[in-house]
Amino acid sequence: MSRICELTGKSRQVGHNVSHANNKTKRVYLPNLQNVTLLSDGLDRSFKFRVSTHGLRSVEHNGGLDSWLLKASDEKLSTRALKVKRELKKKQAA
């Protein structure tokens, strides 16, 4: 399973461990991913996503899953999140 947030696109970063002698070795910084269930008010359903804690705070700050998906760019969203976004737009259009 890839280490990418499904809503923000946040993924692993690469850096160095630096020793006291200033030796540098490669290391990986992983995002803090959590399995969460988010409720959609517009669709009256719940969806399971693998989201970073930063992404979860952003969703709550923007007023929930529906408003977050409508504001988010399609490049950052996963295929499952894009599917929910399309359903949401279709429901709003009707």
Side-chain angles (χ1 to χ4, degrees):
M1 188 175 289
S2 64
R3 297 275 187 165
I4 298 175
C5 176
E6 292 190 73
L7 297 182
T8 61
K10 188 173 189 169
S11 62
R12 69 184 196 135
Q13 293 182 325
V14 179
H16 288 102
N17 278 333
V18 181
S19 70
H20 184 68
N22 206 23
N23 297 329
K24 295 171 186 73
T25 57
K26 286 270 189 177
R27 67 155 294 175
V28 175
Y29 296 93
L30 297 175
N32 186 7
L33 295 178
Q34 305 293 324
N35 293 318
V36 294
T37 302
L38 298 172
L39 299 173
S40 171
D41 296 329
L43 299 174
D44 295 325
R45 286 181 51 201
S46 61
F47 298 95
K48 288 188 177 185
F49 289 112
R50 193 151 190 238
V51 183
S52 65
T53 53
H54 171 75
L56 190 58
R57 288 184 61 186
S58 299
V59 168
E60 293 300 320
H61 179 77
N62 283 307
L65 181 65
D66 296 346
S67 59
W68 169 265
L69 286 175
L70 294 175
K71 288 180 183 178
S73 65
D74 291 349
E75 292 86 36
K76 291 184 178 180
L77 296 175
S78 68
T79 54
R80 289 176 44 216
L82 278 172
K83 185 177 176 184
V84 175
K85 184 176 180 178
R86 280 194 296 270
E87 285 182 38
L88 196 59
K89 282 186 176 180
K90 193 181 292 185
K91 179 97 175 199
Q92 281 187 343

